[in-house]
């Protein structure tokens, strides 16, 4: 079953603008991960945020996690045409040992040059 | 360079035929995974393996089979029992099988029906 749900489903912005994508989930989690997928390629891991963390940065990426609202956001600052891709959140539900990631349906980001 | 190699990139299946998708990793990871991706959908887990000679069903294992005889290899067979096999198949690995580990993905195999 898919726990994470991204919002919006599609986003189109101009190069240089910031892109904000959201992920909501239903049950308690150990951590949440964000991945990027370029068209026709595999997923690339971007960032992992643990349930006891509120914010993490990696280059132009900023991820926040609000466990009380069961939501996370991914912010890409100063977007570039190369950021055009689908972005997925993946949750690690708190079910005990050997938990597995559950992926959302993804957000399609288009960055116009 | 370390990574995951999936082959072939494109595969066509005839009715009643079994086909095998290859997945090889040189990352020395214990855990490997197979996902199915349909258009506009997220990834759904087919099978995963925590260690050599072990594998477990994921959410949509019916019509698929796997083996894990070597640490670096985790082939997926799409059997004739899988009635709707057209999809993009992704293989992934992680250091060990846990949701707190990043997964590394191959570039996928696109399977179509002839």
């Amino acid at each position: 079953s898919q726990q994470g749900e991204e919002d919006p489903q599609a986003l189109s912005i101009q190069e240089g603008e910031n892109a904000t994508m959201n992920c909501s989930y239903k049950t308690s989690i150990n951590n949440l991960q964000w991945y990027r997928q370029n068209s026709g390629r595999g997923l690339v891991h971007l960032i992992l945020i643990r349930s006891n963390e509120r914010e993490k940065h990696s280059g132009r990426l900023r991820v926040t996690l609000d466990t009380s609202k069961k939501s996370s956001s991914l912010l890409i600052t100063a977007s570039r045409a190369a950021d055009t891709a689908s972005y997925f959140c993946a949750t690690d539900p708190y079910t005990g040992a050997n938990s597995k990631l559950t992926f959302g349906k993804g957000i399609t980001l288009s960055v116009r040059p | 360079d370390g990574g995951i190699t999936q082959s072939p990139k494109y595969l066509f299946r005839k009715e009643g035929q079994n086909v095998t998708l290859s997945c090889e990793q040189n990352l020395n990871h214990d855990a490997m995974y197979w996902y199915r991706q349909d258009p506009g959908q997220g990834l759904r887990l087919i099978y995963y393996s925590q260690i050599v000679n072990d594998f477990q069903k994921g959410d949509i294992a019916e019509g698929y089979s796997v083996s894990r005889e070597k640490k670096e290899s985790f082939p997926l067979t799409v059997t004739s029992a899988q009635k709707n096999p057209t999809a993009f198949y992704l293989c992934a690995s992680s250091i060990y099988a846990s949701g707190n580990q990043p997964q590394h993905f191959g570039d996928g195999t696109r399977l179509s029906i002839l």
Side-chain angles (χ1 to χ4, degrees):
Chain A
S1 59
Q2 291 175 326
Q3 173 168 230
E5 288 191 13
E6 295 94 345
D7 168 59
Q9 290 188 331
L11 182 61
S12 181
I13 60 174
Q14 200 75 33
E15 203 165 28
E17 294 179 340
N18 294 343
T20 299
M21 291 166 271
N22 302 301
C23 171
S24 60
Y25 55 92
K26 296 184 175 65
T27 62
S28 296
I29 59 172
N30 292 316
N31 64 75
L32 184 145
Q33 303 184 32
W34 283 93
Y35 288 80
R36 185 187 76 226
Q37 183 181 33
N38 289 85
S39 182
R41 304 292 298 273
L43 277 70
V44 174
H45 179 259
L46 295 176
I47 202 161
L48 181 153
I49 186 164
R50 303 190 189 284
S51 60
N52 61 353
E53 297 175 312
R54 291 296 166 258
E55 188 171 310
K56 279 190 88 167
H57 296 255
S58 177
R60 293 184 296 114
L61 305 181
R62 172 178 168 251
V63 168
T64 62
L65 179 64
D66 187 334
T67 53
S68 67
K69 294 182 179 178
K70 291 187 169 60
S71 69
S72 173
S73 68
L74 169 66
L75 169 67
I76 303 175
T77 60
S79 64
R80 305 166 182 168
D83 294 327
T84 294
S86 293
Y87 292 82
F88 294 85
C89 69
T91 53
D92 171 23
Y94 185 72
T95 58
N98 298 325
S99 53
K100 301 179 295 294
L101 288 180
T102 303
F103 288 83
K105 294 184 178 181
I107 298 169
T108 301
L109 173 65
S110 297
V111 181
R112 304 186 300 274
Chain B
D1 281 340
I4 297 186
T5 301
Q6 290 188 242
S7 63
K9 193 169 177 63
Y10 300 96
L11 187 58
F12 298 92
R13 195 191 89 170
K14 295 179 183 177
E15 291 287 339
Q17 185 182 43
N18 294 353
V19 291
T20 297
L21 284 60
S22 170
C23 177
E24 303 277 331
Q25 56 102 355
N26 60 4
L27 299 166
N28 201 33
H29 286 174
D30 280 327
M32 296 187 75
Y33 312 82
W34 274 106
Y35 294 94
R36 170 180 172 140
Q37 186 177 31
D38 293 283
Q41 300 291 316
L43 277 63
R44 291 185 290 169
L45 182 64
I46 304 173
Y47 269 98
Y48 68 102
S49 168
Q50 297 181 70
I51 202 163
V52 175
N53 293 321
D54 169 82
F55 51 82
Q56 275 131 55
K57 293 181 179 180
D59 300 319
I60 55 165
E62 187 173 348
Y64 301 96
S65 66
V66 294
S67 62
R68 186 86 188 276
E69 297 175 2
K70 298 187 294 182
K71 187 175 186 177
E72 57 270 22
S73 179
F74 191 40
L76 173 74
T77 296
V78 184
T79 74
S80 57
Q82 172 50 244
K83 297 307 179 189
N84 183 23
T86 297
F88 190 49
Y89 291 87
L90 288 161
C91 179
S93 71
S94 61
I95 294 174
Y96 55 88
S98 172
N100 68 13
Q101 290 297 310
Q103 293 187 11
H104 300 255
F105 284 80
D107 272 341
T109 292
R110 193 167 298 278
L111 176 62
S112 303
I113 296 295
L114 277 178

